[in-house]
Amino acid sequence: MEYKTIADVSKPVSRIVFGTAISAMIRGENAHKLLDAVYAAGINTFDTARAYGMAEKSLGSWIAAKGIRDKVVILSKGAHPLEGSHEPRVTPQAIREDVEKSLMMLQTDFIDIYLLHRDDPKVPAGSLVETLNELREKGKIGIFGGSNWSYQRIDEANEYAYSHDMFGFEASSPALSLAEQKEDPFGGGCVDISGKAHETERNWYLDKGIEVFAYACLGHGFLSGKFRSGEEKKARKTLDEFGRKGYCYPENFERLRRAEVLAARKRASVPQIALAWVLQQPIAPMVICSSSVPKRMNSNLQAFDIELTEEEIRWLSEG
């Protein structure tokens, strides 16, 4: 496992982050055995959200039972539209309500990293910055940022923060994958920074030093290895509607083919190649991934052992 030291986060942050948006945890079931295995593998950072059903409760019960709150990093998210709606609720009131509910569900009095799950460009960024600073001053959250926020809006928020002597956004969670997201799979303003078209965004993150917690790093299952590049019909049958909408395009099937070639050459799996590609991007992101099978998570961790040359990284993502 590799870890990053992030300013104002008191613990090292594992670069592989376990995502709790899996069926059992969303239902609030006991996931202690799975989380024990994940933690034993060196993952100490967990991504969850108010929008993930009962996942916060499932995670919180495990942390409390194990007595390791001082050893794990919790990243949670709030201000997401209500279930079944795309109506924005990025408001100071919604943020405060969601933080309180998250703290209760997680059985903690502090969330290490807090992200606004969606954005609403109609809301002045300054009011949101003020609310997040208020929660930080009260000791309820640590560093904060946005999930699915454009870099322009993060810049707007930080300009306000700096001009008012406040803390600004220090973290962001966009989609980032070898497979480029061609359409917004979920609606509601998903932000992807993959591919040549989004090089400006990646350079901005590198220049500003904003920490990136990348999601959909396997293209919502497109790079899971469950089908091959020549099996488009199987791919469309295997992926859910979101995976098909976001990733089933010729350019991505070509990237999958190249990942297969490199995987065979390096005696690795396609997911390991895909995760290594993300991990070795210049912005050095954290990679959010999840599985209900510990063996698969352990396999994902082997991505750290794969060294890609600059030429290989460029060749994989061409197209």
Side-chain angles (χ1 to χ4, degrees):
M1 177 57 63
E2 290 183 5
Y3 300 87
K4 285 189 78 171
T5 299
I6 297 178
D8 297 326
V9 178
S10 62
K11 291 150 280 192
V13 176
S14 55
R15 289 197 63 206
I16 294 285
V17 176
F18 186 76
T20 64
I22 58 175
S23 297
M25 296 187 73
I26 289 172
R27 292 192 296 267
E29 296 174 5
N30 183 313
H32 293 198
K33 187 175 181 180
L34 170 62
L35 295 171
D36 281 344
V38 167
Y39 184 66
I43 296 174
N44 77 329
T45 305
F46 298 85
D47 169 87
T48 190
R50 273 285 65 238
Y52 296 167
M54 302 295 285
E56 288 177 318
K57 182 178 180 181
S58 183
L59 176 63
S61 68
W62 170 73
I63 293 172
K66 204 166 180 69
I68 54 170
R69 181 63 190 94
D70 61 330
K71 295 181 173 63
V72 298
V73 177
I74 297 175
L75 183 158
S76 194
K77 304 183 288 293
H80 191 279
L82 297 175
E83 186 176 359
S85 170
H86 289 306
E87 189 66 29
R89 55 184 293 274
V90 188
T91 66
Q93 180 180 350
I95 294 168
R96 293 187 188 101
E97 290 174 355
D98 282 1
V99 166
E100 293 300 332
K101 187 68 177 290
S102 290
L103 291 171
M104 180 182 70
M105 299 290 272
L106 289 162
Q107 299 185 47
T108 186
D109 58 3
F110 176 74
I111 298 170
D112 302 89
I113 304 168
Y114 194 75
L115 305 182
L116 302 184
H117 209 163
R118 286 290 189 272
D119 187 19
D120 181 359
K122 298 189 296 293
V123 177
S127 66
L128 306 177
V129 170
E130 290 174 358
T131 302
L132 292 164
N133 272 267
E134 167 199 315
L135 292 165
R136 180 166 174 159
E137 288 168 10
K138 290 180 177 178
K140 296 185 177 185
I141 65 172
I143 70 170
F144 55 80
S147 175
N148 293 297
W149 274 53
S150 71
Y151 77 97
Q152 295 97 331
R153 277 283 282 175
I154 295 174
D155 220 19
E156 178 188 338
N158 284 350
E159 284 297 324
Y160 182 91
Y162 301 150
S163 65
H164 290 78
D165 196 25
M166 294 180 175
F167 290 105
F169 281 35
E170 297 178 62
S172 176
S173 186
L176 174 60
S177 172
L178 174 60
E180 186 176 354
Q181 192 180 100
K182 291 296 184 178
E183 286 192 44
D184 184 337
F186 302 106
C190 291
V191 172
D192 178 64
I193 62 169
S194 311
K196 188 173 292 186
H198 298 287
E199 188 174 2
T200 297
E201 288 97 314
R202 296 194 299 278
N203 287 337
W204 181 86
Y205 279 112
L206 190 63
D207 179 58
K208 299 295 183 179
I210 305 290
E211 297 292 350
V212 172
F213 288 80
Y215 75 88
C217 297
L218 292 178
H220 202 70
F222 188 86
L223 298 166
S224 65
K226 294 180 179 178
F227 51 83
R228 295 188 63 79
S229 55
E231 299 177 321
E232 184 173 347
K233 286 185 179 179
K234 184 177 180 180
R236 292 187 177 278
K237 185 177 180 180
T238 301
L239 296 172
D240 62 18
E241 62 176 304
F242 307 113
R244 292 192 296 271
K245 181 181 178 183
Y247 297 96
C248 276
Y249 299 90
E251 303 95 318
N252 286 333
F253 280 104
E254 171 59 17
R255 292 178 181 120
L256 174 56
R257 186 193 69 80
R258 296 183 185 199
E260 291 165 353
V261 170
L262 212 53
R265 188 182 303 164
K266 293 181 180 288
R267 297 183 179 181
S269 69
V270 165
Q272 288 166 356
I273 293 293
L275 291 175
W277 183 90
V278 178
L279 287 164
Q280 293 177 45
Q281 291 301 298
I283 56 176
M286 269 58 65
V287 169
I288 300 170
C289 59
S290 59
S291 173
S292 58
V293 181
K295 183 178 179 181
R296 194 172 297 141
M297 282 302 300
N298 285 328
S299 177
N300 289 339
L301 295 182
Q302 293 176 36
F304 287 114
D305 300 326
I306 298 171
E307 292 187 12
L308 300 175
T309 66
E310 289 186 13
E311 183 180 357
E312 289 170 335
I313 289 172
R314 185 169 55 252
W315 179 73
L316 280 168
S317 55
E318 284 176 352

